[in-house]
Amino acid sequence: MSLYYVQKLLYNLNRDTAVQSLFRTDIDALLGQYKLTDDEKSWLKNGDVGELYIHGVNGQILMHYAAFIGHEWDEYIQAMKDGLEKHGQVRDGIYRAVDGGAGGAV
Amino acid sequence: MSLYYVQKLLYNLNRDTAVQSLFRTDIDALLGQYKLTDDEKSWLKNGDVGELYIHGVNGQILMHYAAFIGHEWDEYIQAMKDGLEKHGQVRDGIYRAVDGGAGGAV
Amino acid sequence: MALVFAGICSHAPGITGRAERAEPTIRDAFYAELDRMRRAIEDSGAEALVVVAAEHFANFFMNNMPAYAMGMGEDYEGPIEDPDWLGIPRTTIPGNPDLSKRIITEVMQSVDVAYAQEWKMDHGIMVPLHFLTPKYDLDIIPVNINCQGPPLTPLSRVWEFGRALRRACDAVPEKIAVVGTGGISHWPATPNSGKIVEDWDRDYLDAWVANDKDRLLAYSDEDTLKDAGQGGFEIRTLTAISGLCEGARGDLWFYAPIPIFSVGCTVASMDIIPHVNDMAAE
Amino acid sequence: MALVFAGICSHAPGITGRAERAEPTIRDAFYAELDRMRRAIEDSGAEALVVVAAEHFANFFMNNMPAYAMGMGEDYEGPIEDPDWLGIPRTTIPGNPDLSKRIITEVMQSVDVAYAQEWKMDHGIMVPLHFLTPKYDLDIIPVNINCQGPPLTPLSRVWEFGRALRRACDAVPEKIAVVGTGGISHWPATPNSGKIVEDWDRDYLDAWVANDKDRLLAYSDEDTLKDAGQGGFEIRTLTAISGLCEGARGDLWFYAPIPIFSVGCTVASMDIIPHVNDMAAE
Ligand SMILES: [Fe+3]
Ligand SMILES: [Fe+3]
């Protein structure tokens, strides 16, 4: 997981309208600007919040990507819970789930 | 002089090939991304190294812009000397000339 | 002239963005204390407000992550987030580059801050400003302490930052208010969002109100992450105010866990007593 | 294991980019001393080289200008400048993120460095590396001290940075070499480019060789700008090595003004004696 570059792409996406346009008009060109694995590219293309979460993307970055691709808050939280359920605990970064990801306010 | 944004544009130009392309293909679009005065826009469009120098652009930023628009080293030094001659001492920043801009190795 | 007001408050985006989903009684009691802080800042005669915040990847990323950063812009934009998502319209916030530069230069004598002539404010600053200067008519100096991407600055340096900021406030002719803003225990933007450990929070706030340096600096990042979540790292923004007001006592105006806001919502002030500053003697 | 080599050298882009325009005898004598430093680093068994440099708006701008920054990347790119202009081909420079992280974490206990997981190296680092590790086969940890955009970090903090870096080097199991690189008097990239004040340079280098803390910290930015030009601010990178080797003496291997290189070209080493570190005792 090249977590650094996944997060950097999302960081730029969150703050730059030109990057947001490119995401919508030519996502392959955007993904090509970063050192990413094929898996990472597909998660980003498919909006797979669960995979991105369990691979360590910081929630403070991820929640804005989720909103950008149309997730309401409760959907965002559920997507992470689904990711945990399917793939197990977060592998990297500091945003690990506790209590098996249970609880919380949605 | 919105020195900050003139320098920021040149900083980005120096380090980003996409910005370099845009400079060559659609300079007005590039200039439009920064808060610049009409004078500043015209200096940047016309490659007026002397004006940019006396308005305070740091030489460590300016010399790469000069090279980018095709100035050899000696031409770059001469353009600053011409700027001083025509407009007087540097008004802003820390790259003031000393000894009236005389001397130096070209 | 000097520091004229010091306090802390929460900044979670739900406070404005998910306002209608909170229990109204407790929410409105919280809002009332934030409004009380607005009046306290106004009554102090503050000519500028320094907001010591923990931003969330709005301006700072791991390609150049400063431990401490301070704004030096003419003005600032915010919020960087979707205004509908945050519940705060996008606006321009006035800065004061000359005052910023004088304060930064003094802070730099003992703490190595990055400076920034631009700053896109995220909820970490916008939520407090929404309540504390709702007309955006007070000059703001934003401060960031990196609480997101390890390696993080140790708490002992946070204390020194607070002391340095105090020295700087007391060295300028203007009246300065300072507000620290960050969470106590919370797991923001994770599946556990809304989990709050009230005992942990109250223990931290006890130490904060007592301004007990030993207790405040004894928290380890390992324990904080385990017991108080990633959001717990943001205690740095609160402990900075303790260093700013070294030797003085705090006053807890409000604390209540509000799960849909993802944090134990807090409003508190700190007394201002003369600071013994060893730098001046050096 | 510890610090195993410490030295300083010049980094002006003309050293490689305008090589053919210098007087060959003096130029080659300078190059020979740089090559001697390469051998000294190799002979020290260094497993990584920390380069304390002053970059020139390659990575850091006034939108987030750290006083001190350190690299924490897998690898780095350089030079950022036109390779033909600089006379150094573009290449990949190996990093060591794990070692970087351990050193940064220790430095952060007393000095507030920004960290960077990416870094485009400019002539400030590439020119030294071109001579000191020409095969790019040694792990590099880049360091930047802001010497370009005021407000600049005071020299007293530069000294503390050197001390903090020493403590960090001595705390890791690896053998570490450190080279500081910056100009003495010079007016780079201005109409006065090539102006060099040899007396000023020799006075500074005398203080550096003697490792005379009082003299080294007595330089004011106002006087330096007036007497030694904007480039004189880069003495920070050299004074950092004095703090790194506090109490030890330096050895000046080479000094000569070479106007077409825009700077008094310098190569020097500093002895390494055990460091008395008050942090360890705290
Ligand atoms: Fe926060
Ligand atoms: Fe330099």
Side-chain angles (χ1 to χ4, degrees):
Chain A
M1 174 81 175
S2 32
L3 179 58
Y4 176 79
Y5 285 103
V6 173
Q7 293 196 120
K8 191 174 183 205
L9 186 156
L10 294 175
Y11 166 73
N12 287 330
L13 183 72
N14 289 343
R15 68 196 310 277
D16 188 335
T17 52
V19 177
Q20 291 165 10
S21 299
L22 191 59
F23 186 96
R24 291 194 163 114
T25 58
D26 189 354
I27 190 167
D28 290 324
L30 177 63
L31 297 173
Q33 293 171 7
Y34 298 82
K35 292 182 201 161
L36 302 169
T37 66
D38 287 344
D39 276 348
E40 290 158 0
K41 287 180 188 172
S42 96
W43 303 332
L44 289 163
K45 279 172 89 152
N46 301 329
D48 198 330
V49 168
E51 287 274 20
L52 291 167
Y53 172 63
I54 64 113
H55 283 92
V57 175
N58 189 300
Q60 301 289 353
I61 291 176
L62 190 58
M63 69 174 170
H64 299 298
Y65 168 71
F68 174 75
I69 61 172
H71 283 25
E72 293 294 326
W73 181 253
D74 296 356
E75 292 175 87
Y76 163 62
I77 299 290
Q78 191 59 47
M80 288 187 291
K81 288 181 189 266
D82 293 347
L84 281 173
E85 174 93 8
K86 199 162 156 191
H87 310 291
Q89 179 61 291
V90 174
R91 286 109 166 104
D92 203 351
I94 59 168
Y95 269 54
R96 280 177 180 73
V98 294
D99 312 333
V106 294
Chain B
M1 173 84 175
S2 32
L3 179 59
Y4 176 79
Y5 286 103
V6 173
Q7 293 196 121
K8 191 174 184 203
L9 185 156
L10 294 175
Y11 165 75
N12 287 331
L13 182 72
N14 289 343
R15 67 196 311 274
D16 188 334
T17 52
V19 178
Q20 291 163 11
S21 299
L22 191 59
F23 186 97
R24 290 195 164 113
T25 58
D26 189 354
I27 190 166
D28 290 324
L30 177 63
L31 297 173
Q33 294 172 6
Y34 298 82
K35 292 181 200 160
L36 302 169
T37 67
D38 288 343
D39 275 349
E40 289 158 1
K41 287 181 187 172
S42 94
W43 303 332
L44 290 163
K45 279 173 89 153
N46 301 330
D48 198 330
V49 168
E51 287 274 19
L52 292 167
Y53 172 63
I54 65 112
H55 282 91
V57 175
N58 189 299
Q60 301 288 354
I61 291 175
L62 189 58
M63 69 174 169
H64 299 299
Y65 168 71
F68 175 74
I69 61 171
H71 283 23
E72 292 295 327
W73 181 252
D74 297 356
E75 291 176 86
Y76 163 62
I77 299 291
Q78 191 58 48
M80 288 187 292
K81 286 180 189 269
D82 292 347
L84 280 173
E85 174 93 10
K86 199 163 157 191
H87 309 292
Q89 179 59 293
V90 174
R91 287 113 166 101
D92 203 352
I94 59 167
Y95 269 55
R96 280 177 180 73
V98 295
D99 312 333
V106 294
Chain C
M1 186 183 94
L3 180 69
V4 294
F5 178 83
I8 60 172
C9 70
S10 308
H11 70 222
I15 293 170
T16 47
R18 298 189 287 277
E20 78 293 341
R21 294 175 64 177
E23 202 277 297
T25 314
I26 194 94
R27 176 197 67 196
D28 293 345
F30 173 44
Y31 286 0
E33 295 301 321
L34 288 166
D35 198 55
R36 176 180 163 199
M37 185 174 281
R38 173 188 62 74
R39 291 195 307 274
I41 292 170
E42 287 174 9
D43 292 348
S44 76
E47 295 160 89
L49 171 61
V50 178
V51 185
V52 181
E55 69 138 49
H56 317 78
F57 303 108
N59 301 277
F60 305 108
F61 188 68
M62 281 73 83
N63 63 346
N64 177 15
M65 180 58 86
Y68 302 87
M70 297 186 70
M72 200 169 80
E74 287 278 352
D75 47 42
Y76 307 100
E77 294 167 39
I80 189 172
E81 295 99 338
D82 180 347
D84 292 331
W85 179 84
L86 187 59
I88 299 177
R90 200 158 281 163
T91 190
T92 298
I93 299 109
N96 185 332
D98 173 66
L99 176 61
S100 278
K101 187 172 184 177
R102 285 180 280 124
I103 289 182
I104 289 167
T105 301
E106 181 57 39
V107 170
M108 276 186 168
Q109 300 303 311
S110 58
V111 174
D112 313 298
V113 291
Y115 67 85
Q117 291 187 244
E118 291 180 76
W119 197 297
K120 294 182 194 226
M121 291 174 176
D122 78 357
H123 65 267
I125 291 181
M126 291 309 293
V127 170
L129 293 189
H130 175 79
F131 292 98
L132 301 179
T133 71
K135 295 182 192 153
Y136 301 101
D137 53 2
L138 182 62
D139 288 344
I140 303 299
I141 300 177
V143 175
N144 189 60
I145 303 178
N146 171 28
C147 302
Q148 302 298 340
L152 303 180
T153 185
L155 292 175
S156 58
R157 292 300 299 166
V158 169
W159 191 273
E160 290 308 315
F161 172 74
R163 286 167 49 81
L165 181 60
R166 174 60 176 273
R167 197 178 65 240
C169 290
D170 288 351
V172 297
E174 291 88 347
K175 294 182 181 176
I176 311 290
V178 180
V179 170
T181 176
I184 326 179
S185 70
H186 63 312
W187 284 255
T190 72
N192 302 107
S193 176
K195 178 178 162 76
I196 294 164
V197 185
E198 183 167 349
D199 284 351
W200 198 94
D201 288 356
R202 291 206 179 268
D203 192 64
Y204 176 85
L205 289 171
D206 275 352
W208 191 89
V209 164
N211 205 337
D212 185 332
K213 183 176 180 181
D214 290 343
R215 273 175 74 191
L216 288 167
L217 300 196
Y219 287 87
S220 75
D221 282 346
E222 293 71 17
D223 286 347
T224 297
L225 181 59
K226 181 163 56 69
D227 301 332
Q230 314 81 15
F233 291 150
E234 291 188 350
I235 56 171
R236 285 170 171 76
T237 61
L238 314 179
T239 301
I241 302 304
S242 310
L244 182 84
C245 298
E246 192 172 50
R249 277 188 65 85
D251 183 14
L252 183 62
W253 297 2
F254 186 86
Y255 172 82
I258 304 183
I260 193 63
F261 293 170
S262 309
V263 73
C265 293
T266 307
V267 186
S269 68
M270 185 80 84
D271 289 344
I272 295 168
I273 61 170
H275 217 221
V276 179
N277 238 314
D278 53 2
M279 284 292 289
E282 272 176 16
Chain D
M1 189 182 93
L3 181 69
V4 294
F5 178 83
I8 60 171
C9 69
S10 308
H11 70 221
I15 294 170
T16 47
R18 299 190 287 276
E20 78 294 341
R21 294 174 64 176
E23 202 277 297
T25 314
I26 194 95
R27 175 197 69 197
D28 292 346
F30 173 44
Y31 286 1
E33 295 301 320
L34 288 166
D35 198 56
R36 177 181 161 199
M37 185 174 280
R38 173 188 62 74
R39 291 195 308 275
I41 292 170
E42 286 174 11
D43 292 348
S44 76
E47 295 158 90
L49 171 62
V50 178
V51 184
V52 181
E55 70 138 49
H56 318 76
F57 303 109
N59 301 277
F60 305 108
F61 189 67
M62 281 72 83
N63 64 345
N64 177 15
M65 180 59 86
Y68 303 87
M70 298 187 71
M72 201 169 79
E74 288 277 352
D75 47 43
Y76 306 100
E77 295 167 40
I80 190 173
E81 297 100 337
D82 181 347
D84 292 332
W85 178 85
L86 187 58
I88 299 177
R90 200 157 282 162
T91 190
T92 299
I93 298 108
N96 185 333
D98 173 67
L99 175 61
S100 278
K101 188 172 184 177
R102 284 180 281 125
I103 289 182
I104 289 167
T105 301
E106 180 58 38
V107 169
M108 276 185 169
Q109 299 304 310
S110 58
V111 174
D112 314 297
V113 292
Y115 68 84
Q117 291 187 244
E118 290 180 78
W119 198 297
K120 295 184 193 223
M121 291 174 177
D122 78 357
H123 65 268
I125 292 181
M126 291 310 293
V127 170
L129 293 188
H130 174 79
F131 292 99
L132 301 179
T133 71
K135 294 181 191 152
Y136 301 102
D137 53 0
L138 181 63
D139 288 345
I140 303 299
I141 299 177
V143 176
N144 189 60
I145 303 178
N146 171 28
C147 302
Q148 302 296 340
L152 304 179
T153 185
L155 293 174
S156 58
R157 292 299 299 165
V158 168
W159 191 273
E160 290 307 315
F161 172 74
R163 287 166 49 81
L165 181 59
R166 175 60 176 275
R167 197 178 66 240
C169 289
D170 289 351
V172 296
E174 290 88 346
K175 294 182 181 177
I176 311 289
V178 180
V179 170
T181 176
I184 325 180
S185 71
H186 64 311
W187 283 255
T190 73
N192 302 107
S193 175
K195 177 176 163 76
I196 295 164
V197 185
E198 183 167 348
D199 284 352
W200 198 93
D201 288 355
R202 291 203 180 270
D203 192 63
Y204 176 85
L205 289 171
D206 275 353
W208 192 88
V209 165
N211 206 334
D212 185 331
K213 182 176 179 180
D214 290 343
R215 275 175 72 191
L216 288 167
L217 300 195
Y219 287 88
S220 74
D221 282 346
E222 293 70 18
D223 286 346
T224 297
L225 181 60
K226 182 163 56 68
D227 301 332
Q230 313 81 12
F233 291 150
E234 290 187 352
I235 57 171
R236 285 171 171 75
T237 60
L238 315 179
T239 300
I241 303 303
S242 310
L244 182 86
C245 298
E246 192 172 49
R249 278 187 64 86
D251 183 14
L252 184 62
W253 297 1
F254 187 87
Y255 172 82
I258 304 183
I260 193 62
F261 292 171
S262 310
V263 72
C265 292
T266 307
V267 186
S269 69
M270 186 80 84
D271 289 343
I272 294 169
I273 61 170
H275 217 222
V276 180
N277 238 312
D278 53 3
M279 284 291 290
E282 271 174 22

